[in-house]
């Protein structure tokens, strides 16, 4: 048994990079179709930890519509998001894989999330992808289309 673990110090270096000031910056790309949610992240206590260039956002949102997130509004910014992902991957010594956290109830997380996953799999077919998908609950759902968005997204997830 090796004493070297993939979750040891080298793993942390792959997920983060060091600034000249000595602080660690997460290798994260934040994507949303409306700027408001990313503004909340930026203004939060942890917002300064993220690189501002790695925030990719649209202007109008997906309006809780999977198709808008996947085919129209999301398609307009997905290449910009992939460029940021590519830049982060090239800055890493060795990319092992990608993690995506998204909600499947809304149009952005379900539509743009699955589109982004598709583009990452096309660009990096030999790398692992892991999704953390949040499914809507009928107890807390605020729109009637959340189950439909989740079904449409779930159809895409196993394929990618």
């Amino acid at each position: 048994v090796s004493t070297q673990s993939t979750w040891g110090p080298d793993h942390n270096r792959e997920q983060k990079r060091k600034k000249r000031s000595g602080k660690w910056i997460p290798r994260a790309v934040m994507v949303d179709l409306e700027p408001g949610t990313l503004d909340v992240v930026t203004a939060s206590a942890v917002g300064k930890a993220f690189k501002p260039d790695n925030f990719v956002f649209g202007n109008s949102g997906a309006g809780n519509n999977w198709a808008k997130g996947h085919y129209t509004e999301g398609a307009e910014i997905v290449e910009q998001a992939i460029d940021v992902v590519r830049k982060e991957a090239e800055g890493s010594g060795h990319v092992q894989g990608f993690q995506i956290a998204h909600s499947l109830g809304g149009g952005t997380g379900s539509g743009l999330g699955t589109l982004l996953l598709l583009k990452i799999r096309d660009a990096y077919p030999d790398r692992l992808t892991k999704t953390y998908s949040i499914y809507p609950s009928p107890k807390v759902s605020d729109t009637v289309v959340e189950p439909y968005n989740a079904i449409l997204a779930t159809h895409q997830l196993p394929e990618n």
Side-chain angles (χ1 to χ4, degrees):
V1 176
S2 171
T3 59
Q4 298 266 327
S5 171
T6 57
W7 294 101
D10 290 335
H11 175 73
N12 287 335
R13 279 191 211 107
E14 288 300 318
Q15 287 185 338
K16 301 172 186 166
R17 64 186 169 289
K18 204 175 219 180
K19 281 175 60 175
R20 288 187 182 149
S21 65
K23 293 183 179 181
W24 291 94
I25 302 172
R27 288 193 188 277
V29 179
M30 306 284 201
V31 183
D32 201 341
L33 287 175
E34 54 185 294
T37 52
L38 296 181
D39 290 343
V40 171
V41 172
T42 305
S44 72
V46 297
K48 304 260 186 281
F50 298 100
K51 188 175 173 188
D53 294 344
N54 288 6
F55 286 80
V56 180
F57 53 86
N59 294 320
S60 62
N64 288 318
N65 187 323
W66 178 87
K68 283 182 75 174
H70 196 84
Y71 292 114
T72 58
E73 305 295 330
E76 292 177 10
I77 70 163
V78 73
E79 290 306 322
Q80 181 185 358
I82 288 296
D83 287 343
V84 175
V85 169
R86 187 175 294 114
K87 183 177 67 171
E88 282 298 318
E90 289 171 357
S92 172
H94 176 70
V95 177
Q96 297 174 354
F98 300 91
Q99 297 178 10
I100 296 177
H102 61 139
S103 171
L104 299 182
T108 300
S110 63
L112 178 58
T114 54
L115 179 61
L116 191 56
L117 179 62
L118 173 70
K119 296 289 187 176
I120 288 172
R121 293 297 300 150
D122 285 346
Y124 302 94
D126 58 339
R127 300 294 180 234
L128 297 172
T129 55
K130 173 73 175 167
T131 61
Y132 296 93
S133 304
I134 310 300
Y135 280 85
S137 166
K139 294 180 180 179
V140 294
S141 292
D142 57 352
T143 62
V144 296
V145 296
E146 286 184 2
Y148 300 105
N149 291 335
I151 298 242
L152 291 166
T154 302
H155 176 73
Q156 297 281 323
L157 290 176
E159 295 177 8
N160 296 304

